Amino acid sequence: MEENYSIRKAEQSDASSVKCLLEELENRLFDQGIFDRIYAEYLHTPLTLMQVAVHGEDEIVGFISCKGQSLLHHEGLVFEIQELIVNASHQGRGVGRQLIAALKPELAQLGAKSLEVTSNKKRKEAHAFYQSVGFLNSHEKFTIYF
């Protein structure tokens, strides 16, 4: 029997499921107040796109968020994936591919020049996934933590 997954825009009522997925991704618990504030900000920011993957009727098993901004050096709108997670028990079933595929028409409609993603160097499986869906490993990222 084929698995039943659907992709839809994230809603306020998805917050607790999204929080659980992100805690799985980061392997730590999040501060509820901080999470709620940022999630609400994401929902109300025009160039922030959020989608969830739903298994069956209502089980949220995946999440993607993407933020856009106009950049001088690209002469246009560039989006970057901020978070992408598929529950471990649903990985390898094409859910991540579906989440990215569902973003592409919306990004094209907005006139985006590109979609980028940054992934921690230790996440080799994630790197292989991103390359398998068409991302090119074209940059290095440098970070200062405060």
Side-chain angles (χ1 to χ4, degrees):
M1 181 178 195
E2 189 171 300
E3 299 265 3
N4 180 21
Y5 294 99
S6 60
I7 308 298
R8 65 166 172 77
K9 288 188 177 192
E11 303 168 350
Q12 180 60 51
S13 60
D14 301 326
S16 63
S17 295
V18 168
K19 182 175 177 281
C20 287
L21 285 167
L22 291 172
E23 288 174 338
E24 178 182 336
L25 175 68
E26 294 295 323
N27 196 31
R28 66 179 178 88
L29 297 177
F30 292 171
D31 178 283
Q32 187 69 52
I34 294 171
F35 178 86
D36 289 345
R37 179 180 53 79
I38 296 171
Y39 190 83
E41 179 183 306
Y42 273 30
L43 282 173
H44 296 99
T45 302
L47 291 178
T48 298
L49 310 176
M50 295 193 305
Q51 297 178 341
V52 293
V54 182
H55 179 248
E57 292 294 315
D58 62 0
E59 180 190 10
I60 295 175
V61 299
F63 172 73
I64 190 169
S65 69
C66 174
K67 290 181 159 239
Q69 60 182 334
S70 293
L71 297 176
L72 292 169
H73 68 284
H74 285 291
E75 297 181 301
L77 192 56
V78 174
F79 281 80
E80 182 176 5
I81 293 172
Q82 301 300 310
E83 294 102 3
L84 173 56
I85 176 70
V86 174
N87 176 272
S89 65
H90 292 269
Q91 290 177 3
R93 300 180 188 182
V95 179
R97 288 180 185 284
Q98 285 183 281
L99 284 163
I100 289 175
L103 271 181
K104 287 181 178 181
E106 194 167 355
L107 295 175
Q109 186 176 16
L110 291 168
K113 296 265 188 173
S114 65
L115 174 62
E116 301 176 344
V117 65
T118 300
S119 181
N120 191 297
K121 288 186 178 199
K122 67 184 175 188
R123 294 188 176 168
K124 301 295 185 196
E125 289 179 5
H127 304 168
F129 165 76
Y130 288 122
Q131 289 178 326
S132 78
V133 295
F135 285 88
L136 303 175
N137 187 357
S138 62
H139 291 72
E140 292 285 335
K141 182 170 184 162
F142 301 90
T143 305
I144 295 175
Y145 292 99
F146 297 99

